[in-house]
Amino acid sequence: MKIPKTVKFTSVIIGLSLAGCSIQNTLSLGVDDPCASLKGIVADYPSGFEAYRGSSNSFSSVTVYNAKEQIIRGHCEVWSWANNDSAYVCSGNTPNDEVATTRYDTAVNWMGQCLGDSWSSTEGERTRDGMNAGMVTRFSAAEAGKPNVSVHKVAFRGDSAVYVYVGTPSRLAEF
C-alpha cells in the first residue's frame, strides 16, 4: 500500500506539533497538498510570488506580505525587496534545540522527496557575526531560472527556530 505524500506530511506536522509540548509551538498544515503547493510556489518565483501575495506591511527596505497560501498555517510570508527580488518564507519557533533538530531533519527529508531527483542538496553551517548559528540545507535545480530552496535550523543566543526559504540564489550568504 502506498501512502500519499499529503498523509506523510500531515503525520509529520502532527508529530512535530506534539513534540513541541506547548500550544504556542504547534504547527498545522494550511493546504491540502503541501508538495503541490511548494511546486506552485517554486513555479511562481519568476513573478516575485505575485500570486501568493496577500495584505502587506511596508518597511524602509522590504515589503512583507501575508502569504495567501500557507504551507504551514499562520507562519508564511512573501518578502519583497527592490528589483523583483522576493522570497517565500515559512518559519516556526521551537521550545528547544531538540525540537528544532527534529523539525529540521523532517523538513529536509520531506523537501528532498517533494522536489525530486532533478534538485541537488548541500548541507552546511550557518554563521552569524562569526559564530555558528545552526544548519542549512540548500536545494538547487540544474535548470536555469529556478530559485534557491532551503531549510534552516537557527540556533542563536538560546533561541531556536526552523524556516523554509524559497527565493533568489543571490542571497545564499544570507539565507
Side-chain angles (χ1 to χ4, degrees), residues 1 8 33 41 44 59 63 68 73 76 81 94 101 105-106 109 118 121 127 132 136 138 140 143 167 169:
M1 178 173 131
K8 287 181 190 174
D33 186 345
I41 290 161
D44 200 42
F59 301 95
T63 300
K68 287 182 182 177
R73 181 176 289 123
C76 302
W81 298 272
T94 62
T101 298
D105 291 342
T106 302
N109 290 333
S118 63
S121 66
T127 57
N132 183 323
V136 58
R138 292 186 175 95
S140 57
E143 185 181 338

Coordinates of all heavy atoms in Angstrom, one line a residue, residues 1 8 33 41 44 59 63 68 73 76 81 94 101 105-106 109 118 121 127 132 136 138 140 143 167 169:
M1 N 0.8 -1.2 0.0 CA 0.0 0.0 0.0 C 0.9 1.2 0.0 O 1.8 1.4 0.8 CB -0.9 0.0 1.2 CG -1.8 1.2 1.4 SD -2.9 0.9 2.8 CE -2.7 2.5 3.6
K8 N 1.7 11.6 4.7 CA 3.0 11.5 5.3 C 3.3 12.9 5.9 O 3.7 12.9 7.1 CB 4.1 11.2 4.3 CG 4.1 9.7 3.9 CD 5.3 9.5 2.9 CE 5.2 8.2 2.3 NZ 6.3 8.0 1.2
D33 N -2.4 19.8 0.0 CA -1.3 19.0 -0.6 C -0.1 19.9 -0.6 O 0.2 20.7 -1.5 CB -1.7 18.7 -2.1 CG -0.6 17.8 -2.7 OD1 0.5 17.7 -2.2 OD2 -0.9 17.2 -3.8
I41 N 4.6 27.3 -5.7 CA 5.4 28.5 -5.2 C 6.7 28.6 -6.0 O 7.1 29.7 -6.4 CB 5.6 28.3 -3.7 CG1 4.3 28.5 -2.9 CG2 6.7 29.3 -3.2 CD1 4.3 28.0 -1.5
D44 N 6.1 30.0 -9.3 CA 5.7 31.4 -9.4 C 6.9 32.3 -9.0 O 6.8 33.6 -9.0 CB 4.6 31.7 -8.4 CG 3.8 33.0 -8.7 OD1 3.6 33.3 -9.9 OD2 3.5 33.7 -7.7
F59 N 8.1 48.4 4.9 CA 9.2 49.0 5.7 C 10.2 49.7 4.8 O 10.0 49.7 3.6 CB 9.9 47.8 6.5 CG 8.9 47.0 7.4 CD1 8.3 45.9 6.9 CD2 8.6 47.5 8.6 CE1 7.4 45.2 7.7 CE2 7.7 46.8 9.4 CZ 7.1 45.6 9.0
T63 N 9.1 45.0 1.7 CA 7.6 44.9 1.9 C 7.3 43.4 2.3 O 7.8 42.5 1.6 CB 6.8 45.3 0.7 OG1 7.2 46.7 0.4 CG2 5.3 45.2 0.9
K68 N -0.9 34.3 0.7 CA -2.3 33.9 0.5 C -2.4 32.4 0.7 O -3.5 31.9 1.1 CB -2.7 34.2 -0.9 CG -3.0 35.7 -1.2 CD -3.5 35.8 -2.6 CE -3.7 37.3 -2.9 NZ -4.1 37.4 -4.4
R73 N 0.1 26.8 8.3 CA -0.9 27.8 8.7 C -0.3 28.9 9.6 O 0.2 28.6 10.7 CB -2.1 27.2 9.2 CG -3.2 28.2 9.6 CD -4.5 27.6 10.1 NE -5.1 26.9 9.0 CZ -5.4 25.6 9.0 NH1 -5.2 24.9 10.0 NH2 -6.0 25.0 7.9
C76 N 3.7 31.8 7.2 CA 4.3 32.0 5.9 C 4.1 33.5 5.4 O 3.0 34.0 5.6 CB 3.8 31.0 4.8 SG 4.1 29.3 5.3
W81 N 11.9 42.8 -1.9 CA 12.9 43.9 -1.9 C 12.8 44.6 -3.3 O 12.0 44.2 -4.1 CB 14.3 43.4 -1.7 CG 14.5 42.7 -0.4 CD1 14.8 43.3 0.8 CD2 14.4 41.3 -0.1 NE1 14.9 42.4 1.8 CE2 14.6 41.2 1.3 CE3 14.0 40.2 -0.8 CZ2 14.6 39.9 1.9 CZ3 14.0 39.0 -0.2 CH2 14.3 38.8 1.2
T94 N 10.8 27.2 18.1 CA 10.7 25.9 18.8 C 11.1 26.1 20.2 O 11.8 27.1 20.6 CB 11.7 24.9 18.2 OG1 13.0 25.4 18.3 CG2 11.4 24.6 16.7
T101 N 15.9 20.4 15.9 CA 16.6 19.4 15.1 C 15.6 18.4 14.5 O 15.8 18.1 13.3 CB 17.6 18.7 16.0 OG1 18.6 19.7 16.5 CG2 18.3 17.6 15.3
D105 N 15.3 18.1 10.4 CA 15.6 16.8 9.8 C 14.4 16.4 9.0 O 14.5 15.9 7.8 CB 16.0 15.7 10.8 CG 17.4 16.0 11.4 OD1 18.2 16.8 10.8 OD2 17.7 15.4 12.4
T106 N 13.2 16.5 9.6 CA 12.0 16.1 8.9 C 11.7 16.9 7.7 O 11.3 16.4 6.6 CB 10.8 16.1 9.9 OG1 11.1 15.3 11.0 CG2 9.5 15.7 9.2
N109 N 14.1 16.1 4.8 CA 13.8 14.8 4.1 C 12.6 15.0 3.3 O 12.5 14.5 2.1 CB 13.6 13.7 5.2 CG 14.8 13.3 5.8 OD1 15.9 13.4 5.2 ND2 14.8 12.8 7.0
S118 N 15.7 15.9 -9.7 CA 16.3 17.0 -10.5 C 16.9 18.1 -9.7 O 17.5 19.0 -10.2 CB 15.2 17.5 -11.5 OG 14.2 18.2 -10.8
S121 N 21.2 18.7 -3.2 CA 21.2 19.4 -1.9 C 22.6 19.4 -1.4 O 23.4 18.5 -1.6 CB 20.2 18.8 -1.0 OG 20.6 17.5 -0.6
T127 N 26.3 30.8 9.8 CA 27.1 31.6 10.7 C 26.5 33.0 10.8 O 25.8 33.5 9.9 CB 28.6 31.8 10.2 OG1 28.6 32.4 8.9 CG2 29.3 30.5 10.3
N132 N 28.8 30.2 15.0 CA 27.9 29.1 14.5 C 26.5 29.5 14.9 O 26.2 29.8 16.1 CB 28.3 27.8 15.0 CG 27.4 26.7 14.5 OD1 26.2 26.8 14.3 ND2 28.0 25.5 14.2
V136 N 22.0 24.6 7.6 CA 21.2 24.9 6.5 C 21.4 23.8 5.5 O 22.5 23.3 5.2 CB 21.5 26.3 5.9 CG1 22.9 26.4 5.5 CG2 20.5 26.6 4.7
R138 N 20.5 23.5 1.5 CA 20.1 24.2 0.3 C 19.9 23.3 -0.9 O 20.7 22.4 -1.2 CB 21.2 25.2 -0.1 CG 21.3 26.3 0.9 CD 22.3 27.4 0.4 NE 22.3 28.5 1.3 CZ 23.2 28.7 2.2 NH1 24.2 27.8 2.4 NH2 23.2 29.7 3.0
S140 N 19.1 23.0 -5.0 CA 19.2 23.8 -6.2 C 18.9 22.9 -7.4 O 19.2 21.7 -7.4 CB 20.6 24.4 -6.3 OG 21.6 23.4 -6.3
E143 N 18.3 23.4 -13.7 CA 17.6 24.2 -14.7 C 17.8 25.7 -14.3 O 17.6 26.1 -13.2 CB 16.1 23.8 -14.7 CG 15.3 24.6 -15.7 CD 13.9 24.1 -15.6 OE1 13.6 23.0 -15.1 OE2 13.0 24.9 -16.1
G167 N 13.7 31.5 -2.7 CA 14.0 32.8 -3.3 C 15.2 32.9 -4.1 O 15.8 31.8 -4.5
P169 N 18.8 32.9 -5.6 CA 20.1 32.3 -5.2 C 21.1 33.4 -4.9 O 22.1 33.1 -4.2 CB 20.5 31.6 -6.5 CG 19.3 31.3 -7.2 CD 18.4 32.5 -7.0

